[in-house]
Amino acid sequence: MASTRILIVDDEPDIRELIGEILADEGFDVLTAADAASARELRGQHKPDLILLDVWMPDVDGVTLLREWRDGDLLDCPVVMISGHGSVESAVEATRLGAFDFIEKPVSMARLLATVGQALEAGRQQRGDSGARASAPIVLEPIGRSAAVQQLKRRLERIANHDTAVTILGEAGTGKAAAARWIHAHSRRADGPFVALSEADGQQLAQLAAQADGGVLFIEDISRLDQRGQVALRRLLESGRREPSSADSAALNVRLLAGTSRDLGLLARNEDFDEALYYLLNVVVLDLPP
């Protein structure tokens, strides 16, 4: 059986080498390209199962290349965008064009492997179902028969039936993003957008929240949100609690899922996190088992 082939497109040789070594160690067949021209050639010759595509490149940027493939009906495998500092907005735009997801630099090995696994599974499902969307995220069920996993499944089901904000607490690698996607897929917002971000400042948050209108906004590590972003998020949650009025007619309809591995209560007491936002988030806490 042929190895799963992954094409890495990034103009930074260190990034190509690092990601390539990680994926090669996991048994993947790795191809690398430094620019759009090489990426076009390798994609056509080798038909990769997944493409990791940098947003910023010197000749043609990743979003433009993704749009080219989509408009030419050449988007026959999942694409995961790689975004550096200041390119989160472009990465979010890429998800609207069909990208499966995006990961940020510096690249976390755990985040990389989790996203690659989910994207490849989504690609396999898409090939088996011609009506499926290439950008549709794969929703993983909690695996295991232990009492802790069974309790987690029951909590996920109860949480999905409501529409309140949720804090998803867990160590790195415990599946906070997978839990967030499960909640979205089993909630009344399943047909709405799912927008995930690992880090954003206040200005970016407002723009990304607008992208999630009618769906779910998932912040992977809310403890990293800057002060401006915390205030903006608090106002968003407070506006959602008020009765609708003409003054609120433009308010966003967004459900917030906030991941963290840190004690937000302790951060609030030390004045490192907005206290009012902490109390808004502390209503429903999903504690993932190690």
Side-chain angles (χ1 to χ4, degrees):
M1 182 177 177
S3 298
T4 299
R5 184 172 294 129
I6 299 177
L7 171 60
I8 304 167
V9 186
D10 197 302
D11 65 310
E12 297 183 54
D14 290 345
I15 296 294
R16 293 198 306 273
E17 183 178 352
L18 172 63
I19 296 178
E21 288 179 353
I22 292 172
L23 296 178
D25 287 345
E26 295 295 318
F28 296 112
D29 182 9
V30 175
L31 303 169
T32 61
D35 52 38
S38 299
R40 293 187 188 102
E41 182 178 357
L42 289 172
R43 191 207 61 79
Q45 290 179 350
H46 298 281
K47 303 296 183 185
D49 300 289
L50 171 65
I51 299 174
L52 302 180
L53 178 60
D54 188 23
V55 171
W56 297 119
M57 293 189 296
D59 54 347
V60 176
D61 66 84
V63 176
T64 299
L65 184 58
L66 177 66
R67 184 182 290 109
E68 173 190 311
W69 286 338
R70 186 203 63 172
D71 293 346
D73 199 23
L74 300 173
L75 201 59
D76 49 6
C77 73
V79 175
V80 172
M81 306 303 294
I82 305 174
S83 61
H85 179 69
S87 61
V88 174
E89 293 175 36
S90 298
V92 171
E93 173 62 19
T95 64
R96 294 167 62 86
L97 293 172
F100 175 81
D101 203 345
F102 67 90
I103 54 179
E104 287 187 82
K105 299 176 183 177
V107 177
S108 159
M109 182 184 297
R111 164 76 165 153
L112 171 68
L113 294 178
T115 303
V116 164
Q118 292 173 1
L120 288 170
E121 179 61 26
R124 285 190 287 268
Q125 288 196 355
Q126 198 273 336
R127 288 192 296 273
D129 177 9
S130 59
R133 294 182 304 167
S135 60
I138 182 66
V139 179
L140 302 176
E141 296 288 336
I143 299 173
R145 299 181 180 179
S146 68
V149 172
Q150 297 308 312
Q151 183 180 20
L152 173 61
K153 289 180 180 180
R154 290 191 293 270
R155 290 217 66 199
L156 283 169
E157 290 170 357
R158 288 196 295 270
I159 288 172
N161 288 329
H162 298 281
D163 207 40
T164 187
V166 180
T167 298
I168 304 176
L169 178 64
E171 301 171 3
T174 52
K176 293 186 285 293
R181 289 191 182 277
W182 196 99
I183 292 170
H184 170 249
H186 293 79
S187 73
R188 69 186 71 173
R189 296 176 179 269
D191 292 332
F194 180 94
V195 176
L197 62 146
S198 57
E199 186 175 4
D201 60 30
Q203 183 178 2
Q204 291 170 329
L205 177 66
Q207 296 167 344
L208 294 171
Q211 300 272 0
D213 193 22
V216 166
L217 175 65
F218 172 54
I219 301 177
E220 294 183 3
D221 187 352
I222 198 167
S223 69
R224 296 171 61 188
L225 195 62
D226 65 11
Q227 186 176 16
R228 181 180 177 183
Q230 292 176 30
V231 172
L233 191 58
R234 170 165 53 80
R235 290 173 177 168
L236 175 65
L237 292 175
E238 289 172 342
S239 69
R241 287 186 162 199
R242 294 196 298 267
E243 291 295 324
S245 67
S246 58
D248 293 329
S249 59
L252 295 177
N253 174 23
V254 175
R255 184 181 191 185
L256 175 70
L257 305 180
T260 185
S261 59
R262 304 180 68 184
D263 184 339
L264 297 182
L266 178 60
L267 293 178
R269 288 192 294 274
N270 292 336
E271 300 184 351
D272 293 324
F273 194 81
D274 186 279
E275 186 175 26
L277 176 59
Y278 164 68
Y279 285 114
L280 289 171
L281 291 172
N282 201 45
V283 177
V284 177
V285 178
L286 176 65
D287 196 349
L288 299 181

